[in-house]
Amino acid sequence: ETYVKFGNPYSPHQLGTYPVGDSPTSAQEPMPLENTGNMFFMLLAIVQRQGRQLGVKKYDLSWLYPRYWPMLVRWADELVATTQFPAEQICTDDFTGPLKNNTNLGLKGIVALEAFAQLCRLADAEKLSGTACDGYSKVASEYAKTWQEHAFTASPQPHYKMSFNDIPGISDSWSIKYNLLWQKMLRLDGPFPLDEIIPRELAYYKSKANKFGVPMDPRHTYVKTDWLSWIAAMAPSTAE
């Protein structure tokens, strides 16, 4: 923990330079959806794996709940308020610049809401503190439907666009949706129909591959091997 107060209602980008956590709000690179999603994914992954190691059905969240629960609820509520139609903001690929209604970033926030709902259930927070766990799942499902409605295009073949918006100078809007991996990795039942979305996306990525792999989106030709490994992990088979 740190004595420096963070003033925004979402996860900070960094704490400081190890071992001193002294980065104030003004020193942060603002990535609301990106960083809050990261935290919820990591927290749920830790809880899940600790439970499996212990070989028990009841998970131990005593290190997390109730001490940090009000903060996590604030982060989740900020996702509810901002994720359906993401404002112009940067993501971890900050070198590409900000993008409004970024579909890869938006789906990250949506899956993160479901991850938080799962944490909520494992902590028994609804019974202990009145947190409406299923309510967050319901919002995630509703936002996932909105995402599919606004991101999908059938031209030139079925896939999901880079942004809900038209992007000047780009007639064929697409991007690799590497954040979908977290729904699969965390074994979440929703909120996205992966069996429908992933085959469409992988087929489209193959049509966009160049000598060194699939670019992140049509704005650039460079490739990132980390994201390529993530989309490869989404494939249903080794052959795929």
Side-chain angles (χ1 to χ4, degrees):
E1 296 187 34
T2 175
Y3 65 90
V4 177
K5 292 185 178 180
F6 180 66
N8 290 329
Y10 50 80
S11 170
H13 183 64
Q14 75 274 341
L15 297 179
T17 302
Y18 183 84
V20 182
D22 60 354
S23 288
T25 307
S26 60
Q28 304 293 323
E29 188 175 24
M31 295 186 185
L33 294 185
E34 187 74 63
N35 292 320
T36 300
N38 287 341
M39 290 302 297
F40 284 153
F41 295 159
M42 287 190 290
L43 288 171
L44 180 56
I46 290 169
V47 170
Q48 288 177 337
R49 279 147 186 77
Q50 284 181 335
R52 290 173 193 151
Q53 288 173 354
L54 294 172
V56 296
K57 292 184 178 180
K58 188 173 180 61
Y59 296 85
D60 179 17
L61 278 77
S62 59
W63 55 276
L64 184 66
Y65 183 95
R67 184 172 187 175
Y68 300 107
W69 197 248
M71 178 183 69
L72 299 185
V73 170
R74 284 196 301 273
W75 292 356
D77 288 344
E78 181 68 6
L79 287 181
V80 171
T82 62
T83 299
Q84 189 173 25
F85 295 99
E88 185 173 66
Q89 60 190 279
I90 55 176
C91 64
T92 190
D93 303 313
D94 52 1
F95 48 85
T96 63
L99 180 65
K100 186 176 182 179
N101 286 320
N102 182 332
T103 53
N104 184 50
L105 187 60
L107 73 84
K108 182 173 189 175
I110 296 168
V111 176
L113 275 172
E114 183 59 38
F116 173 76
Q118 184 65 10
L119 277 171
C120 184
R121 296 184 187 101
L122 294 174
D124 205 13
E126 186 154 7
K127 178 181 178 181
L128 297 174
S129 60
T131 308
C133 306
D134 290 344
Y136 291 98
S137 280
K138 183 178 180 181
V139 170
S141 295
E142 291 173 354
Y143 287 4
K145 291 176 183 177
T146 299
W147 187 93
Q148 292 172 82
E149 177 183 350
H150 290 275
F152 178 76
T153 179
S155 178
Q157 70 184 60
H159 70 282
Y160 299 85
K161 298 179 292 184
M162 177 171 59
S163 169
F164 295 159
N165 300 16
D166 291 334
I167 301 174
I170 295 178
S171 59
D172 181 10
S173 176
W174 60 276
S175 62
I176 56 175
K177 311 301 189 300
Y178 54 80
N179 284 317
L180 276 173
L181 176 66
W182 288 102
Q183 180 173 321
K184 180 178 180 179
M185 291 288 289
L186 295 171
R187 303 180 184 181
L188 300 173
D189 292 334
F192 289 98
L194 297 185
D195 290 345
E196 177 182 330
I197 294 175
I198 288 178
R200 286 174 174 169
E201 284 292 284
L202 293 182
Y204 208 69
Y205 302 159
K206 290 177 182 178
S207 74
K208 299 299 178 182
N210 59 31
K211 181 178 179 180
F212 299 103
V214 184
M216 291 188 297
D217 59 55
R219 295 175 295 179
H220 312 281
T221 57
Y222 47 67
V223 175
K224 289 195 70 182
T225 54
D226 46 1
W227 303 151
L228 289 182
S229 66
W230 284 30
I231 62 173
M234 294 192 300
S237 67
T238 302
E240 181 75 13

